[in-house]
Amino acid sequence: MEKLIAHLKSQGFIFQGSEIYGGLANSWDYGPLGVEVKNKLKQAWWNHFVRKNPYNIGLDSSIILNSSVWKASGHIDGFNDPLIDCKKCNSRWRADKLIEEFNSEINAGVMTENQMEEFIKEQNIKCPKCQACDFTQIRKFALMFKTNQGVLEDESSSVYLRPETAQGIFINFKNAQRSLRKKLPFGIGQIGKSFRNEITPGNFIFRTREFEQMELEFFFNPSDEKDWFSYWLNEVETFLQDKIQINKENYRVRSHEKDELAHYSTATSDIEFKFPFGWGELWGVAHRGNFDLNAHQEASKQDLTYLDPTTNQKVLPHVIEPSVGVERMMLAILWQAYHEEDLGEGNSRIVMKLPYNLAPYQIAVMPLQKQQNDQALALYSNLLNNFDVTYDETGNVGKRYRRQDAIGTPFVITVDFDTPETNSVTVRERDSMEQVRINLDELETYLKAKF
Ligand code: ATP
């Protein structure tokens, strides 16, 4: 992981947040190349789950919502983590995570606070920082960031930064359904920032306090016999395998046991990824019943039911929610892509084997020598019309190839001595390092077929 972090920094993918001021704990900034990958990932998700899905539409709701939303959704009263302090060094921990790190077979999410306290005592679990076995009692730690809106700083002006994008979708269910005259079943997708005051953020970009989510709330009539849960779980796997090329052996699907399920949920599955520090949740797919719409209907006193045009009956739709974090997905993608390769004869390279559709640049154009600069620049400008292209004329060819490998550029085109006479260039593929000679008249067709 440390090598990956250093590589991503040196190549302009991810920088430490607020670095020139000594940093801000667990905040990360996306550099010129990181933002390209992030945008392409979001675009791929949006295409698959919104634009190209026959049922779904999109939304972009506010980060700050009326606080009644969070009261109704249960976040104000119930969105907290079990906080425990080490009496010796005063460091703070999430009790459930301490237990799960002590024994990964245990699911502390189903334990009560008392059970967790007893377990920590009985097993003599040590403070990861100072190794003492002396903890305080567990306290509930609220995860929502609170702030004030407007000039008054009292309770009436208290607002929260959203801890998930989902509630913005639920409160707009009726607006979206009516304005687009949608019939059930249909889904609403949203991509946006969420904030959680996590007790123990860490593992690079796996758990941060500010992050982005890509969430879909799929609404259907509970009398609909189709198994929509399996349908969406399947779509999630299709996306992972076909759209962003996550290897099958790097992820697994874990169904929640009955006692692990939220009280309103009849099924939840986590897609877990094999991160460098072990298996961790990447994507959650949850059957939420009508819990959220019902809560908002009761609290807002608005009719949020859907009138079924065939039966003329009012129904409160049920919901399947696939929810994934952009940065967690980035970590999975970047980790899977990072390769150190020994090329023999003392040569080696670091290559980011990113899926072609997520690489910051699709193509690099370079002249072999100065004499070809003009022709290479002309080709670069031409290709910019249809591809994401970069241009590189500094250093020897070998170095330039390594540079493009290090940032994951799938194809490097070299303009050389023979180009003017033969009207052809060399195209080198990143992973195989194979080079082919392509006629300039066929170049665009050749490249388009590759993407
Ligand atoms: P965890 O158990 O890891 O805290 P969660 O079950 O609370 O996650 P959800 O509330 O289901 O997570 O959020 C949906 C998705 O949002 C997660 O699968 C994850 O990809 C992402 N996510 C949640 N919290 C964070 C965070 N602090 N940093 C980055 N991504 C996050």
Side-chain angles (χ1 to χ4, degrees), residues 128-174:
K129 196 168 165 205
C130 72
Q131 307 300 313
C133 302
D134 192 9
F135 290 99
T136 59
Q137 284 187 322
I138 291 173
R139 299 188 308 289
K140 286 187 167 57
F141 181 76
L143 291 175
M144 280 202 294
F145 279 94
K146 200 173 183 181
T147 184
N148 294 88
Q149 174 161 280
V151 289
L152 291 177
E153 279 198 21
D154 60 14
E155 265 314 298
S156 68
S157 69
S158 286
V159 287
Y160 300 89
L161 303 187
R162 69 179 173 200
E164 59 174 38
T165 61
Q167 298 305 324
I169 298 179
F170 293 124
I171 59 171
N172 277 295
F173 165 71
K174 267 297 234 236

Short mmCIF file of all heavy atoms in Angstrom, two decimals, residues 128-174:
data_model
loop_
_atom_site.label_atom_id
_atom_site.label_comp_id
_atom_site.label_asym_id
_atom_site.label_seq_id
_atom_site.Cartn_x
_atom_site.Cartn_y
_atom_site.Cartn_z
N PRO A 128 -4.61 -0.67 20.39
CA PRO A 128 -3.64 -0.81 19.28
C PRO A 128 -2.49 0.19 19.38
O PRO A 128 -1.44 -0.02 18.80
CB PRO A 128 -4.48 -0.54 18.03
CG PRO A 128 -5.89 -0.76 18.45
CD PRO A 128 -5.96 -0.40 19.90
N LYS A 129 -2.68 1.29 20.15
CA LYS A 129 -1.63 2.31 20.20
C LYS A 129 -0.63 2.04 21.33
O LYS A 129 0.58 2.03 21.10
CB LYS A 129 -2.26 3.69 20.38
CG LYS A 129 -1.31 4.81 20.07
CD LYS A 129 -2.05 6.13 19.97
CE LYS A 129 -1.09 7.29 20.03
NZ LYS A 129 -1.77 8.51 20.51
N CYS A 130 -1.14 1.78 22.57
CA CYS A 130 -0.20 1.67 23.70
C CYS A 130 -0.18 0.27 24.31
O CYS A 130 0.52 0.04 25.30
CB CYS A 130 -0.52 2.71 24.76
SG CYS A 130 -2.02 2.32 25.67
N GLN A 131 -1.00 -0.62 23.78
CA GLN A 131 -1.03 -2.03 24.23
C GLN A 131 -1.62 -2.23 25.62
O GLN A 131 -1.57 -3.33 26.15
CB GLN A 131 0.38 -2.68 24.18
CG GLN A 131 1.10 -2.55 22.84
CD GLN A 131 0.31 -3.20 21.71
OE1 GLN A 131 -0.17 -4.32 21.84
NE2 GLN A 131 0.14 -2.50 20.60
N ALA A 132 -2.20 -1.17 26.22
CA ALA A 132 -2.83 -1.37 27.53
C ALA A 132 -4.19 -2.05 27.35
O ALA A 132 -4.76 -2.02 26.26
CB ALA A 132 -3.03 -0.01 28.21
N CYS A 133 -4.69 -2.69 28.44
CA CYS A 133 -6.01 -3.33 28.35
C CYS A 133 -6.96 -2.64 29.32
O CYS A 133 -7.49 -3.26 30.24
CB CYS A 133 -5.95 -4.81 28.72
SG CYS A 133 -4.85 -5.78 27.76
N ASP A 134 -7.11 -1.36 29.19
CA ASP A 134 -7.93 -0.62 30.15
C ASP A 134 -8.76 0.43 29.40
O ASP A 134 -8.26 1.50 29.04
CB ASP A 134 -6.98 0.05 31.17
CG ASP A 134 -7.75 0.58 32.35
OD1 ASP A 134 -8.96 0.30 32.46
OD2 ASP A 134 -7.13 1.31 33.16
N PHE A 135 -10.03 0.07 29.16
CA PHE A 135 -10.87 0.97 28.35
C PHE A 135 -12.02 1.55 29.17
O PHE A 135 -12.45 0.97 30.17
CB PHE A 135 -11.46 0.18 27.17
CG PHE A 135 -10.45 -0.20 26.13
CD1 PHE A 135 -9.92 -1.49 26.11
CD2 PHE A 135 -10.04 0.69 25.16
CE1 PHE A 135 -9.00 -1.87 25.14
CE2 PHE A 135 -9.11 0.33 24.19
CZ PHE A 135 -8.59 -0.96 24.18
N THR A 136 -12.54 2.68 28.71
CA THR A 136 -13.76 3.26 29.32
C THR A 136 -14.97 2.45 28.87
O THR A 136 -14.85 1.53 28.07
CB THR A 136 -13.98 4.71 28.82
OG1 THR A 136 -14.11 4.65 27.38
CG2 THR A 136 -12.84 5.62 29.19
N GLN A 137 -16.15 2.86 29.35
CA GLN A 137 -17.38 2.26 28.84
C GLN A 137 -17.62 2.78 27.42
O GLN A 137 -17.07 3.82 27.04
CB GLN A 137 -18.55 2.66 29.72
CG GLN A 137 -18.57 1.90 31.02
CD GLN A 137 -19.85 2.19 31.78
OE1 GLN A 137 -20.33 3.33 31.79
NE2 GLN A 137 -20.39 1.18 32.43
N ILE A 138 -18.47 2.07 26.71
CA ILE A 138 -18.78 2.50 25.34
C ILE A 138 -19.79 3.65 25.37
O ILE A 138 -20.73 3.64 26.16
CB ILE A 138 -19.35 1.30 24.53
CG1 ILE A 138 -18.25 0.27 24.30
CG2 ILE A 138 -19.97 1.76 23.23
CD1 ILE A 138 -18.72 -1.01 23.66
N ARG A 139 -19.55 4.65 24.52
CA ARG A 139 -20.52 5.73 24.36
C ARG A 139 -20.94 5.82 22.90
O ARG A 139 -20.18 5.46 22.02
CB ARG A 139 -19.90 7.09 24.75
CG ARG A 139 -19.44 7.15 26.17
CD ARG A 139 -18.99 8.55 26.58
NE ARG A 139 -18.03 9.21 25.72
CZ ARG A 139 -16.74 8.85 25.62
NH1 ARG A 139 -16.30 7.81 26.30
NH2 ARG A 139 -15.91 9.51 24.84
N LYS A 140 -22.15 6.33 22.71
CA LYS A 140 -22.61 6.50 21.32
C LYS A 140 -21.97 7.76 20.74
O LYS A 140 -22.03 8.82 21.36
CB LYS A 140 -24.13 6.65 21.30
CG LYS A 140 -24.87 5.36 21.57
CD LYS A 140 -26.36 5.58 21.34
CE LYS A 140 -27.15 4.29 21.28
NZ LYS A 140 -27.04 3.43 22.43
N PHE A 141 -21.38 7.64 19.58
CA PHE A 141 -20.75 8.80 18.95
C PHE A 141 -21.49 9.12 17.65
O PHE A 141 -21.51 8.31 16.72
CB PHE A 141 -19.27 8.49 18.67
CG PHE A 141 -18.54 9.63 18.04
CD1 PHE A 141 -18.16 10.73 18.79
CD2 PHE A 141 -18.25 9.61 16.67
CE1 PHE A 141 -17.50 11.79 18.20
CE2 PHE A 141 -17.58 10.67 16.07
CZ PHE A 141 -17.20 11.75 16.84
N ALA A 142 -22.12 10.31 17.61
CA ALA A 142 -22.92 10.69 16.44
C ALA A 142 -22.00 10.95 15.24
O ALA A 142 -20.97 11.62 15.37
CB ALA A 142 -23.73 11.93 16.75
N LEU A 143 -22.38 10.40 14.10
CA LEU A 143 -21.49 10.47 12.93
C LEU A 143 -21.77 11.64 11.99
O LEU A 143 -20.98 11.91 11.10
CB LEU A 143 -21.61 9.17 12.13
CG LEU A 143 -21.03 7.94 12.82
CD1 LEU A 143 -21.31 6.69 12.00
CD2 LEU A 143 -19.53 8.10 13.00
N MET A 144 -22.89 12.32 12.22
CA MET A 144 -23.21 13.41 11.29
C MET A 144 -22.49 14.69 11.68
O MET A 144 -22.44 15.07 12.84
CB MET A 144 -24.71 13.65 11.26
CG MET A 144 -25.44 12.65 10.38
SD MET A 144 -27.03 13.28 9.84
CE MET A 144 -27.91 13.38 11.35
N PHE A 145 -21.95 15.38 10.67
CA PHE A 145 -21.33 16.70 10.89
C PHE A 145 -22.45 17.72 11.04
O PHE A 145 -23.33 17.82 10.20
CB PHE A 145 -20.49 17.10 9.67
CG PHE A 145 -19.13 16.50 9.61
CD1 PHE A 145 -18.90 15.34 8.90
CD2 PHE A 145 -18.06 17.12 10.24
CE1 PHE A 145 -17.63 14.79 8.82
CE2 PHE A 145 -16.79 16.59 10.17
CZ PHE A 145 -16.57 15.43 9.46
N LYS A 146 -22.35 18.50 12.12
CA LYS A 146 -23.40 19.49 12.38
C LYS A 146 -22.84 20.89 12.13
O LYS A 146 -21.68 21.15 12.46
CB LYS A 146 -23.80 19.37 13.84
CG LYS A 146 -25.14 19.92 14.20
CD LYS A 146 -25.45 19.58 15.65
CE LYS A 146 -26.83 20.07 16.03
NZ LYS A 146 -27.13 19.76 17.43
N THR A 147 -23.65 21.75 11.57
CA THR A 147 -23.22 23.14 11.41
C THR A 147 -24.45 24.04 11.50
O THR A 147 -25.54 23.57 11.83
CB THR A 147 -22.44 23.33 10.08
OG1 THR A 147 -21.96 24.67 10.02
CG2 THR A 147 -23.28 23.05 8.85
N ASN A 148 -24.28 25.32 11.27
CA ASN A 148 -25.41 26.23 11.33
C ASN A 148 -25.61 26.92 10.00
O ASN A 148 -24.65 27.25 9.31
CB ASN A 148 -25.20 27.31 12.40
CG ASN A 148 -25.17 26.70 13.78
OD1 ASN A 148 -24.12 26.30 14.26
ND2 ASN A 148 -26.33 26.60 14.40
N GLN A 149 -26.87 27.14 9.67
CA GLN A 149 -27.19 27.83 8.42
C GLN A 149 -27.66 29.23 8.76
O GLN A 149 -28.50 29.39 9.64
CB GLN A 149 -28.27 27.04 7.69
CG GLN A 149 -28.78 27.73 6.44
CD GLN A 149 -29.49 26.76 5.52
OE1 GLN A 149 -28.87 26.03 4.77
NE2 GLN A 149 -30.81 26.75 5.58
N GLY A 150 -27.11 30.23 8.08
CA GLY A 150 -27.54 31.61 8.33
C GLY A 150 -26.77 32.24 9.46
O GLY A 150 -25.76 31.72 9.92
N VAL A 151 -27.26 33.39 9.93
CA VAL A 151 -26.49 34.19 10.89
C VAL A 151 -26.67 33.75 12.34
O VAL A 151 -25.84 34.02 13.19
CB VAL A 151 -26.81 35.70 10.77
CG1 VAL A 151 -26.27 36.25 9.49
CG2 VAL A 151 -28.32 35.94 10.88
N LEU A 152 -27.79 33.08 12.65
CA LEU A 152 -28.02 32.67 14.03
C LEU A 152 -27.29 31.37 14.33
O LEU A 152 -27.23 30.49 13.49
CB LEU A 152 -29.52 32.47 14.27
CG LEU A 152 -30.37 33.73 14.26
CD1 LEU A 152 -31.84 33.37 14.43
CD2 LEU A 152 -29.92 34.69 15.35
N GLU A 153 -26.75 31.29 15.54
CA GLU A 153 -26.08 30.05 15.90
C GLU A 153 -26.81 29.37 17.04
O GLU A 153 -26.28 29.20 18.12
CB GLU A 153 -24.63 30.32 16.29
CG GLU A 153 -23.75 30.47 15.07
CD GLU A 153 -22.29 30.32 15.36
OE1 GLU A 153 -21.93 29.72 16.38
OE2 GLU A 153 -21.51 30.82 14.53
N ASP A 154 -28.08 29.02 16.81
CA ASP A 154 -28.80 28.28 17.84
C ASP A 154 -29.40 27.02 17.22
O ASP A 154 -29.24 26.76 16.04
CB ASP A 154 -29.86 29.17 18.51
CG ASP A 154 -30.88 29.66 17.49
OD1 ASP A 154 -30.90 29.12 16.38
OD2 ASP A 154 -31.63 30.60 17.79
N GLU A 155 -30.13 26.27 18.06
CA GLU A 155 -30.67 24.98 17.60
C GLU A 155 -31.54 25.14 16.35
O GLU A 155 -31.55 24.29 15.48
CB GLU A 155 -31.49 24.31 18.71
CG GLU A 155 -30.70 23.29 19.55
CD GLU A 155 -29.86 22.30 18.75
OE1 GLU A 155 -30.45 21.53 17.97
OE2 GLU A 155 -28.62 22.31 18.89
N SER A 156 -32.27 26.28 16.28
CA SER A 156 -33.20 26.43 15.16
C SER A 156 -32.47 26.54 13.82
O SER A 156 -33.04 26.31 12.77
CB SER A 156 -34.09 27.67 15.36
OG SER A 156 -33.28 28.82 15.26
N SER A 157 -31.19 26.92 13.87
CA SER A 157 -30.46 27.04 12.60
C SER A 157 -29.53 25.84 12.35
O SER A 157 -28.77 25.83 11.41
CB SER A 157 -29.64 28.33 12.58
OG SER A 157 -28.58 28.23 13.51
N SER A 158 -29.61 24.83 13.22
CA SER A 158 -28.75 23.66 13.06
C SER A 158 -29.08 22.88 11.80
O SER A 158 -30.25 22.60 11.54
CB SER A 158 -28.95 22.69 14.23
OG SER A 158 -28.35 23.20 15.35
N VAL A 159 -28.06 22.58 11.07
CA VAL A 159 -28.24 21.71 9.90
C VAL A 159 -27.10 20.69 9.89
O VAL A 159 -26.12 20.82 10.63
CB VAL A 159 -28.24 22.51 8.56
CG1 VAL A 159 -29.51 23.30 8.39
CG2 VAL A 159 -27.01 23.41 8.48
N TYR A 160 -27.25 19.69 9.05
CA TYR A 160 -26.25 18.62 8.97
C TYR A 160 -25.75 18.48 7.54
O TYR A 160 -26.49 18.70 6.59
CB TYR A 160 -26.89 17.29 9.39
CG TYR A 160 -27.42 17.30 10.80
CD1 TYR A 160 -28.72 17.71 11.07
CD2 TYR A 160 -26.60 16.91 11.86
CE1 TYR A 160 -29.21 17.73 12.36
CE2 TYR A 160 -27.08 16.93 13.16
CZ TYR A 160 -28.39 17.34 13.41
OH TYR A 160 -28.86 17.36 14.69
N LEU A 161 -24.49 18.07 7.40
CA LEU A 161 -24.00 17.67 6.08
C LEU A 161 -24.49 16.24 5.88
O LEU A 161 -24.35 15.41 6.78
CB LEU A 161 -22.47 17.69 6.04
CG LEU A 161 -21.78 19.01 6.38
CD1 LEU A 161 -20.28 18.89 6.12
CD2 LEU A 161 -22.36 20.15 5.55
N ARG A 162 -25.03 15.94 4.74
CA ARG A 162 -25.65 14.62 4.56
C ARG A 162 -24.64 13.48 4.75
O ARG A 162 -23.51 13.56 4.24
CB ARG A 162 -26.32 14.51 3.18
CG ARG A 162 -25.34 14.49 2.03
CD ARG A 162 -26.05 14.37 0.69
NE ARG A 162 -25.09 14.51 -0.40
CZ ARG A 162 -25.40 14.83 -1.65
NH1 ARG A 162 -26.65 15.03 -1.99
NH2 ARG A 162 -24.47 14.92 -2.57
N PRO A 163 -25.05 12.42 5.45
CA PRO A 163 -24.16 11.26 5.62
C PRO A 163 -24.38 10.22 4.52
O PRO A 163 -23.70 9.20 4.48
CB PRO A 163 -24.57 10.70 6.97
CG PRO A 163 -26.03 11.04 7.07
CD PRO A 163 -26.25 12.31 6.30
N GLU A 164 -25.37 10.43 3.66
CA GLU A 164 -25.63 9.55 2.51
C GLU A 164 -26.45 10.34 1.50
O GLU A 164 -27.11 11.32 1.87
CB GLU A 164 -26.40 8.30 2.95
CG GLU A 164 -27.75 8.60 3.59
CD GLU A 164 -28.58 7.35 3.90
OE1 GLU A 164 -28.00 6.33 4.31
OE2 GLU A 164 -29.81 7.41 3.72
N THR A 165 -26.38 9.94 0.25
CA THR A 165 -27.13 10.69 -0.76
C THR A 165 -28.58 10.19 -0.85
O THR A 165 -29.45 10.85 -1.40
CB THR A 165 -26.47 10.56 -2.16
OG1 THR A 165 -26.46 9.19 -2.54
CG2 THR A 165 -25.07 11.12 -2.16
N ALA A 166 -28.81 8.99 -0.30
CA ALA A 166 -30.10 8.31 -0.48
C ALA A 166 -31.32 9.14 -0.07
O ALA A 166 -32.32 9.15 -0.78
CB ALA A 166 -30.09 6.99 0.29
N GLN A 167 -31.22 9.83 1.09
CA GLN A 167 -32.42 10.53 1.57
C GLN A 167 -32.86 11.65 0.62
O GLN A 167 -34.05 11.94 0.51
CB GLN A 167 -32.21 11.07 2.99
CG GLN A 167 -31.94 9.99 4.03
CD GLN A 167 -33.00 8.90 4.09
OE1 GLN A 167 -34.20 9.17 3.92
NE2 GLN A 167 -32.57 7.67 4.31
N GLY A 168 -31.89 12.24 -0.07
CA GLY A 168 -32.23 13.26 -1.07
C GLY A 168 -33.09 12.67 -2.18
O GLY A 168 -33.90 13.37 -2.81
N ILE A 169 -32.89 11.38 -2.43
CA ILE A 169 -33.70 10.70 -3.45
C ILE A 169 -35.10 10.42 -2.92
O ILE A 169 -36.10 10.71 -3.58
CB ILE A 169 -33.02 9.38 -3.89
CG1 ILE A 169 -31.66 9.67 -4.53
CG2 ILE A 169 -33.93 8.60 -4.84
CD1 ILE A 169 -30.89 8.43 -4.98
N PHE A 170 -35.18 9.89 -1.69
CA PHE A 170 -36.51 9.55 -1.14
C PHE A 170 -37.42 10.77 -1.08
O PHE A 170 -38.59 10.70 -1.41
CB PHE A 170 -36.38 8.91 0.24
CG PHE A 170 -35.72 7.56 0.20
CD1 PHE A 170 -34.59 7.30 0.96
CD2 PHE A 170 -36.22 6.55 -0.62
CE1 PHE A 170 -33.97 6.06 0.91
CE2 PHE A 170 -35.61 5.31 -0.68
CZ PHE A 170 -34.48 5.06 0.09
N ILE A 171 -36.85 11.91 -0.65
CA ILE A 171 -37.72 13.08 -0.49
C ILE A 171 -38.12 13.68 -1.84
O ILE A 171 -39.02 14.49 -1.92
CB ILE A 171 -37.11 14.16 0.44
CG1 ILE A 171 -35.76 14.66 -0.09
CG2 ILE A 171 -36.93 13.61 1.86
CD1 ILE A 171 -35.22 15.86 0.67
N ASN A 172 -37.45 13.26 -2.91
CA ASN A 172 -37.82 13.74 -4.24
C ASN A 172 -38.55 12.68 -5.06
O ASN A 172 -38.78 12.85 -6.26
CB ASN A 172 -36.57 14.17 -5.02
CG ASN A 172 -36.17 15.59 -4.67
OD1 ASN A 172 -36.91 16.52 -4.95
ND2 ASN A 172 -35.03 15.74 -4.03
N PHE A 173 -38.91 11.58 -4.40
CA PHE A 173 -39.56 10.47 -5.12
C PHE A 173 -40.78 10.96 -5.91
O PHE A 173 -40.91 10.69 -7.10
CB PHE A 173 -39.96 9.36 -4.12
CG PHE A 173 -40.92 8.37 -4.70
CD1 PHE A 173 -40.51 7.45 -5.66
CD2 PHE A 173 -42.26 8.36 -4.30
CE1 PHE A 173 -41.41 6.55 -6.21
CE2 PHE A 173 -43.16 7.46 -4.85
CZ PHE A 173 -42.73 6.55 -5.80
N LYS A 174 -41.65 11.70 -5.22
CA LYS A 174 -42.89 12.13 -5.87
C LYS A 174 -42.61 13.12 -7.01
O LYS A 174 -43.19 13.04 -8.09
CB LYS A 174 -43.80 12.81 -4.84
CG LYS A 174 -44.79 11.83 -4.21
CD LYS A 174 -45.70 11.26 -5.22
CE LYS A 174 -47.15 11.40 -4.93
NZ LYS A 174 -47.91 10.15 -4.91
#
